[in-house]
Amino acid sequence: MATLLIALLCHGAWRAAGRASPWPRRFLRRVAVILGADIRVVGTPERRNVMIAANHLSWFDILLLAGTAGTRFVAKAEVARLPLIGWLAGLNRTLFVERGDRLGVGDQVATIRAALSDGQPLAVFPEGTTGDDLTILPFKPALFAALVPPLPGILVQPVRIDYGPAEGELAWLGQEAGDAHARRVLRRAGRFTVTLHYLPPFAPADYPDRKAIAAEARARIADA
């Protein structure tokens, strides 16, 4: 709680001075460390003008990507309505979209394109759900439609998140309820090393469509 209060005070001071606040990123990284993560970064995170595409194992991924690359995220609209979590996500400039609203897909793509043009890295989890660290599910191409036609200067950076031996304890699998998974992770004893492989970025303009962009991002993560 003290970490949260300090981060909120510092965040408010930065915003009052009209400056971009680094405190959501610092707070989320600190939470990951408090919960036992020893974070190892391989490669160089792009800090601006990039869509980060990562494999997805747990809500812990959000702490790690935000904490190491300063990313904002695309999340389901219902996340905004969760007590405290929705508010904290809003402080990190999360984009909330109605995933099931097929009629609103065009608006979602426009929102993501505008966010990418704003400069801050934007992270997506193209598998659309969480999995284990052994199998990477097919990447859904819908969110990559925001890169077609290409936005000037915007790159895609694939990221492989590897929890090592702790993967079985941290991955959110099957029909486990979200609150039950959170309690299980929070009660976990001991520390673990998690490695984030920030792979070389590529230009989406080099690929013919959103499906090809999604396939390339997935192939690079699988190769890592």
Side-chain angles (χ1 to χ4, degrees):
M1 184 59 72
T3 300
L4 175 58
L5 292 175
I6 292 170
L8 287 174
L9 289 172
C10 293
H11 175 73
W14 250 253
R15 297 299 295 161
R19 300 167 59 189
S21 173
W23 288 97
R25 168 176 57 85
R26 293 175 180 177
F27 169 73
L28 292 172
R29 180 170 184 140
R30 182 59 183 164
V31 170
V33 171
I34 290 172
L35 293 179
D38 294 322
I39 303 169
R40 177 172 174 258
V41 175
V42 177
T44 303
E46 294 290 324
R47 297 294 184 180
R48 292 186 59 80
N49 303 323
V50 64
M51 176 184 280
I52 287 176
N55 59 311
H56 195 21
L57 291 93
S58 168
W59 53 267
F60 220 103
D61 304 341
I62 294 170
L63 307 180
L64 299 169
L65 290 174
T68 56
T71 58
R72 61 198 298 193
F73 297 88
V74 178
K76 295 182 291 185
E78 49 262 39
V79 172
R81 297 187 285 270
L82 294 175
L84 184 60
I85 293 174
W87 178 65
L88 289 172
L91 288 181
N92 197 50
R93 307 181 70 209
T94 296
L95 300 180
F96 299 109
V97 299
E98 295 286 353
R99 293 281 180 88
D101 181 11
R102 297 197 175 190
L103 296 178
V105 170
D107 290 339
Q108 294 174 22
V109 169
T111 298
I112 294 171
R113 283 178 68 86
L116 286 167
S117 299
D118 189 39
Q120 183 179 356
L122 177 70
V124 298
F125 299 112
E127 290 170 287
T129 186
T130 51
D132 58 35
D133 203 23
L134 302 175
T135 304
I136 300 176
L137 300 173
F139 276 14
K140 297 179 179 179
L143 295 178
F144 292 103
L147 301 172
V148 182
L151 288 162
I154 302 297
L155 300 175
V156 175
Q157 184 168 36
V159 179
R160 167 78 177 192
I161 304 174
D162 179 8
Y163 288 94
E167 175 268 328
E169 298 176 271
L170 297 172
W172 186 2
L173 301 174
Q175 300 302 313
E176 184 179 19
D179 56 349
H181 172 71
R183 286 194 298 270
R184 179 165 59 82
V185 172
L186 292 173
R187 291 171 180 167
R188 182 189 181 277
R191 304 197 63 78
F192 62 94
T193 297
V194 54
T195 304
L196 287 87
H197 298 268
Y198 281 90
L199 304 171
F202 64 89
D206 294 340
Y207 299 84
D209 54 35
R210 60 191 176 95
K211 292 183 179 180
I213 297 170
E216 179 65 18
R218 183 188 182 281
R220 294 190 182 205
I221 292 172
D223 289 345

